[in-house]
Amino acid sequence: MVLCVTGPMASGKNQVSSILEKMGFAAIDADVVGHSAVEAEKQKILEAFSEDAKKAGISLLDENGKIIRRNLGALIFGNPEMVKTQESIVYPYITSHLKSFVESNIAEGKNVVINATVLFKTDAMKFVDKILYVDCPSLKRFFRARKRDGMKTGQILARFRAQKNLYKNYEATGITIIKIQNTGSISSLKKSLELLLK
């Protein structure tokens, strides 16, 4: 079985993936794969965005010649066309990497967890059997995000707005969605997952 563990910011996706990994699932974080994809596709990214970055006075490379992901994000955020270009560059790499991970672990008889926020945007959804959607009230998520990431209120609210249609986007895939509320302790979350797996 391949599960996509998803949900809005600070809902507890990482915690759920970690618990499932301890239960024997092979887990992979698509965000981490995405970071690798940016570096692996560095040349294409520079070709696509260097001119715009120069106009905006934004440096895309650090002193070691690596992409500064925060600066790249600042450049493309709020520009749907740029976001689409960046996704067209990195998503094929992410899909290919996830495919290899899923296939090798399934061949070994392991269940797999793909921890991802926007997997629905990629072709990797075709490997997914079920979606585990982790949710939590907005106010609780807000305080979690502020404590965990040290983000400013405006940044958190902007991220929340950007994810407002997340559930609908996963519904549109037609894959079965199982919702889990993460409002209590880690132990209660673990019990909920154990019951769910049974």
Side-chain angles (χ1 to χ4, degrees), residues 32-49:
V32 174
V33 178
H35 298 166
S36 303
V38 168
E39 203 52 44
E41 303 293 352
K42 178 172 70 175
Q43 204 51 49
K44 289 179 185 175
I45 287 169
L46 291 174
E47 285 168 12
F49 300 117

Side-chain angles (χ1 to χ4, degrees), residues 7-188:
M9 179 186 187
S11 60
K13 295 183 300 297
N14 293 347
Q15 193 68 62
V16 168
S17 292
S18 177
I19 292 168
L20 290 171
E21 193 170 14
K22 285 172 186 169
M23 290 179 178
F25 281 74
I28 187 165
D29 189 330
D31 284 345
V32 174
V33 178
H35 298 166
S36 303
V38 168
E39 203 52 44
E41 303 293 352
K42 178 172 70 175
Q43 204 51 49
K44 289 179 185 175
I45 287 169
L46 291 174
E47 285 168 12
F49 300 117
S50 285
E51 201 172 307
D52 292 300
K54 193 175 180 181
K55 286 176 187 173
I58 294 173
S59 175
L60 292 180
L61 296 176
D62 66 15
E63 62 274 7
N64 298 313
K66 290 189 173 184
I67 294 280
I68 305 169
R69 287 184 293 104
R70 184 175 289 180
N71 288 7
L72 176 62
L75 176 68
I76 70 173
F77 187 75
N79 186 319
E81 199 173 305
M82 281 189 181
V83 170
K84 198 171 181 181
T85 299
Q86 195 248 6
E87 289 174 348
S88 72
I89 294 168
V90 299
Y91 282 176
Y93 176 98
I94 293 169
T95 299
S96 174
H97 195 87
L98 293 177
K99 182 175 186 279
S100 298
F101 183 85
V102 168
E103 287 178 347
S104 63
N105 281 285
I106 292 294
E108 291 176 15
K110 292 181 182 176
N111 291 314
V112 176
V113 165
I114 301 174
N115 177 4
T117 305
V118 291
L119 198 68
F120 68 87
K121 289 186 174 185
T122 76
D123 290 336
M125 286 306 297
K126 63 189 173 189
F127 315 133
V128 173
D129 297 310
K130 285 184 172 56
I131 297 160
L132 187 56
Y133 192 90
V134 187
D135 208 356
C136 181
S138 299
L139 193 60
K140 201 171 185 79
R141 290 193 296 110
F142 174 83
F143 286 112
R144 276 182 188 168
R146 202 158 70 166
K147 184 179 178 183
R148 183 190 69 187
D149 303 324
M151 293 172 72
K152 293 178 181 176
T153 299
Q155 290 174 305
I156 296 170
L157 295 178
R159 190 79 64 87
F160 279 15
R161 281 193 297 272
Q163 295 179 349
K164 68 179 179 178
N165 293 319
L166 192 63
Y167 188 82
K168 285 181 182 176
N169 286 318
Y170 277 102
E171 265 189 324
T173 66
I175 299 169
T176 301
I177 301 176
I178 303 157
K179 282 186 89 171
I180 186 164
Q181 286 292 326
N182 177 27
T183 55
S185 64
I186 292 172
S187 60
S188 66

